[in-house]
């Protein structure tokens, strides 16, 4: 007998909540965005109050908060170090 489950169904059967599934989808979306938006982009961030992902290039430290709201999820696609955020 062959079982055919979608990834979402498999995660649900494993007991993962919808919030966890949404987070996993957001991480995948940000990873894809980060790797395709530009050659100097190192992070893609989802902020509350902003619909589209925000990306930052080398030489820019991403802020944990924008006027629209706090960073909810950040996915780094390249290694970098920032020194100006406490």
């Amino acid at each position: 007998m062959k079982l055919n489950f979608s990834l979402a169904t498999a995660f649900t059967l494993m007991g993962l909540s919808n919030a966890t599934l949404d987070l996993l989808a957001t991480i995948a979306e940000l990873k894809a965005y980060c790797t395709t938006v530009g050659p100097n982009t190192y992070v893609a961030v989802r902020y509350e109050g902003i619909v589209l992902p925000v990306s930052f290039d080398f030489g820019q430290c991403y802020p944990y908060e924008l006027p629209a709201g706090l960073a909810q999820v950040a996915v780094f696609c390249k290694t970098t170090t920032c020194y100006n955020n406490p």
Side-chain angles (χ1 to χ4, degrees):
M1 176 171 86
K2 181 180 177 185
L3 299 175
N4 190 8
F5 292 108
S6 70
L7 189 56
T9 301
F11 285 151
T12 301
L13 290 173
M14 291 176 6
L16 298 179
S17 68
N18 285 337
T20 301
L21 295 175
D22 290 344
L23 176 60
L24 292 172
T26 299
I27 290 170
E29 174 192 358
L30 290 174
K31 171 73 167 128
Y33 185 79
C34 187
T35 57
T36 59
V37 72
N40 293 319
T41 299
Y42 72 91
V43 66
V45 185
R46 172 74 65 201
Y47 288 94
E48 60 187 4
I50 299 176
V51 176
L52 297 175
V54 178
S55 63
F56 295 92
D57 291 344
F58 292 120
Q60 304 173 305
C61 289
Y62 90 88
Y64 303 134
E65 184 175 9
L66 294 178
L70 294 172
Q72 295 175 323
V73 181
V75 174
F76 289 81
C77 57
K78 296 182 180 105
T79 304
T80 190
T81 302
C82 290
Y83 296 101
N84 69 342
N85 284 330

Short mmCIF file of all heavy atoms in Angstrom, two decimals, residues 4 10-11 19 21 28 32 56 59 61 64 72 74-75 80 83:
data_model
loop_
_atom_site.label_atom_id
_atom_site.label_comp_id
_atom_site.label_asym_id
_atom_site.label_seq_id
_atom_site.Cartn_x
_atom_site.Cartn_y
_atom_site.Cartn_z
N ASN A 4 0.23 8.60 0.13
CA ASN A 4 0.58 9.83 -0.56
C ASN A 4 0.08 11.01 0.27
O ASN A 4 -1.10 11.29 0.30
CB ASN A 4 -0.03 9.85 -1.97
CG ASN A 4 0.51 11.00 -2.79
OD1 ASN A 4 1.43 11.69 -2.38
ND2 ASN A 4 -0.08 11.19 -3.95
N ALA A 10 1.68 15.81 6.38
CA ALA A 10 2.68 15.07 7.16
C ALA A 10 3.03 15.84 8.43
O ALA A 10 3.11 15.26 9.52
CB ALA A 10 3.93 14.82 6.33
N PHE A 11 3.21 17.16 8.32
CA PHE A 11 3.51 17.97 9.50
C PHE A 11 2.34 17.96 10.48
O PHE A 11 2.54 17.91 11.69
CB PHE A 11 3.86 19.39 9.11
CG PHE A 11 5.24 19.55 8.52
CD1 PHE A 11 5.50 20.54 7.61
CD2 PHE A 11 6.28 18.71 8.90
CE1 PHE A 11 6.76 20.70 7.08
CE2 PHE A 11 7.55 18.86 8.37
CZ PHE A 11 7.80 19.86 7.45
N ALA A 19 0.48 27.48 13.33
CA ALA A 19 1.46 28.55 13.52
C ALA A 19 2.85 28.08 13.12
O ALA A 19 3.61 28.82 12.49
CB ALA A 19 1.45 29.03 14.97
N LEU A 21 3.52 25.66 10.99
CA LEU A 21 3.51 25.50 9.53
C LEU A 21 3.66 26.86 8.85
O LEU A 21 4.39 26.98 7.85
CB LEU A 21 2.22 24.82 9.09
CG LEU A 21 2.03 23.39 9.56
CD1 LEU A 21 0.66 22.87 9.15
CD2 LEU A 21 3.13 22.49 9.04
N ALA A 28 10.94 29.55 4.46
CA ALA A 28 11.24 29.12 3.08
C ALA A 28 11.10 30.29 2.11
O ALA A 28 11.94 30.47 1.21
CB ALA A 28 10.32 27.98 2.68
N ALA A 32 14.26 31.97 -0.08
CA ALA A 32 14.21 32.11 -1.54
C ALA A 32 14.39 33.57 -1.94
O ALA A 32 15.13 33.87 -2.89
CB ALA A 32 12.89 31.56 -2.07
N PHE A 56 18.46 43.37 3.23
CA PHE A 56 19.57 44.25 3.56
C PHE A 56 20.83 43.69 2.93
O PHE A 56 21.05 42.48 2.90
CB PHE A 56 19.73 44.39 5.08
CG PHE A 56 18.55 45.08 5.71
CD1 PHE A 56 17.48 44.33 6.19
CD2 PHE A 56 18.49 46.46 5.78
CE1 PHE A 56 16.38 44.95 6.74
CE2 PHE A 56 17.38 47.08 6.34
CZ PHE A 56 16.33 46.33 6.82
N GLY A 59 27.17 45.83 4.49
CA GLY A 59 27.39 47.24 4.83
C GLY A 59 26.20 47.85 5.55
O GLY A 59 26.29 48.96 6.04
N CYS A 61 23.40 47.03 8.61
CA CYS A 61 22.93 46.13 9.66
C CYS A 61 21.42 46.24 9.69
O CYS A 61 20.87 47.33 9.66
CB CYS A 61 23.50 46.53 11.01
SG CYS A 61 25.26 46.19 11.16
N TYR A 64 16.22 45.85 14.16
CA TYR A 64 15.25 44.95 14.77
C TYR A 64 13.85 45.56 14.79
O TYR A 64 12.87 44.86 14.99
CB TYR A 64 15.67 44.59 16.20
CG TYR A 64 17.03 43.98 16.28
CD1 TYR A 64 17.95 44.40 17.22
CD2 TYR A 64 17.42 42.98 15.39
CE1 TYR A 64 19.21 43.82 17.28
CE2 TYR A 64 18.68 42.41 15.44
CZ TYR A 64 19.57 42.84 16.40
OH TYR A 64 20.81 42.28 16.46
N GLN A 72 9.82 40.20 12.72
CA GLN A 72 9.19 38.96 13.18
C GLN A 72 10.06 37.75 12.90
O GLN A 72 10.21 36.88 13.74
CB GLN A 72 7.84 38.78 12.49
CG GLN A 72 6.84 39.85 12.87
CD GLN A 72 5.54 39.71 12.09
OE1 GLN A 72 5.56 39.36 10.91
NE2 GLN A 72 4.44 39.98 12.75
N ALA A 74 13.82 36.69 10.59
CA ALA A 74 14.93 37.06 9.73
C ALA A 74 15.64 35.79 9.28
O ALA A 74 15.88 34.90 10.08
CB ALA A 74 15.91 37.97 10.46
N VAL A 75 15.94 35.72 7.99
CA VAL A 75 16.65 34.56 7.44
C VAL A 75 17.92 35.08 6.76
O VAL A 75 17.86 35.89 5.84
CB VAL A 75 15.78 33.79 6.44
CG1 VAL A 75 16.58 32.69 5.77
CG2 VAL A 75 14.56 33.21 7.14
N THR A 80 27.63 37.30 7.81
CA THR A 80 28.04 38.69 7.99
C THR A 80 28.09 39.00 9.47
O THR A 80 27.59 38.25 10.29
CB THR A 80 27.08 39.66 7.26
OG1 THR A 80 27.65 40.97 7.27
CG2 THR A 80 25.73 39.67 7.93
N TYR A 83 27.95 45.48 13.90
CA TYR A 83 28.38 45.94 15.20
C TYR A 83 27.53 47.08 15.78
O TYR A 83 27.74 47.48 16.90
CB TYR A 83 29.84 46.41 15.13
CG TYR A 83 30.77 45.30 14.79
CD1 TYR A 83 31.27 45.15 13.51
CD2 TYR A 83 31.14 44.35 15.74
CE1 TYR A 83 32.14 44.12 13.19
CE2 TYR A 83 31.99 43.31 15.43
CZ TYR A 83 32.49 43.21 14.16
OH TYR A 83 33.33 42.17 13.86
#
